[in-house]
Amino acid sequence: SKITSLNVGDLFICYNNLLLDLHGLNNITTVSGSVSIRNNSLLNDLSPINNITSLGGDLIIVYNDSLQTVNGIPDVTSIPGNLRVQNLPLLTNLNPLGNITYIGGDLSIGYNPLIDNLDGLENITTLGGSLTVRNNDALQTCIPVNYAASHGWSYKATIEYNLGTCQ
């Protein structure tokens, strides 16, 4: 693909029940709006979009039943809008989010039954909206969230229905 930027809006990859990967999108480096990857039941690879270094809106990855990792998410440090990582039944960690330092909107991590820690969120220094961490059945500790709270994040937090001390 010769497309390198989407300057007029969003990149929505939604409701493609036979889509396995995102090959063909690997030259995109800029999205002026949001990136939303949702309801793609067979999608198992995000790596072709990891060349996106500039994002103008939200990053939403939800309801992708076969996605085991968010390796390959856009390689951004700043998300002007919201970050949502939800309803990913095979996802085991958030480590690929480790480059993100700024979220202008809300951060929501929920309904990911295999995530057992929040490693990957510890570099976020600014959260402009609310924080929701809920219904992650294996999540035992919220250490990066607690660290961030003690280092100046100003947000409304909802942390509930997780395992262990992350309540």
Side-chain angles (χ1 to χ4, degrees), residues 6-25:
L6 297 174
N7 293 319
V8 293
D10 305 313
L11 175 60
F12 283 0
I13 302 165
C14 306
Y15 304 99
N16 297 290
N17 291 328
L18 299 178
L19 183 68
L20 297 175
D21 60 51
L22 301 176
H23 293 291
L25 301 177

Side-chain angles (χ1 to χ4, degrees), residues 87-108:
N87 298 88
L88 303 172
L90 299 180
L91 185 68
T92 58
N93 69 68
L94 300 171
N95 292 336
L97 303 175
N99 288 338
I100 299 170
T101 59
Y102 173 88
I103 299 173
D106 300 335
L107 170 58
S108 181

Side-chain angles (χ1 to χ4, degrees), residues 63-143:
Y63 295 104
N64 296 291
D65 295 342
S66 298
L67 202 57
Q68 295 180 24
T69 178
V70 288
N71 282 339
I73 64 156
D75 189 17
V76 296
T77 58
S78 176
I79 298 174
N82 304 311
L83 173 59
R84 289 180 49 210
V85 179
Q86 297 177 321
N87 298 88
L88 303 172
L90 299 180
L91 185 68
T92 58
N93 69 68
L94 300 171
N95 292 336
L97 303 175
N99 288 338
I100 299 170
T101 59
Y102 173 88
I103 299 173
D106 300 335
L107 170 58
S108 181
I109 308 293
Y111 305 93
N112 303 297
L114 300 181
I115 292 177
D116 64 359
N117 65 63
L118 295 178
D119 295 349
L121 302 180
E122 64 272 6
N123 292 322
I124 299 170
T125 57
T126 303
L127 177 63
S130 64
L131 170 70
T132 302
V133 179
R134 85 164 33 118
N135 294 87
N136 298 289
D137 298 341
L139 185 57
Q140 297 184 36
T141 180
C142 286
I143 289 173

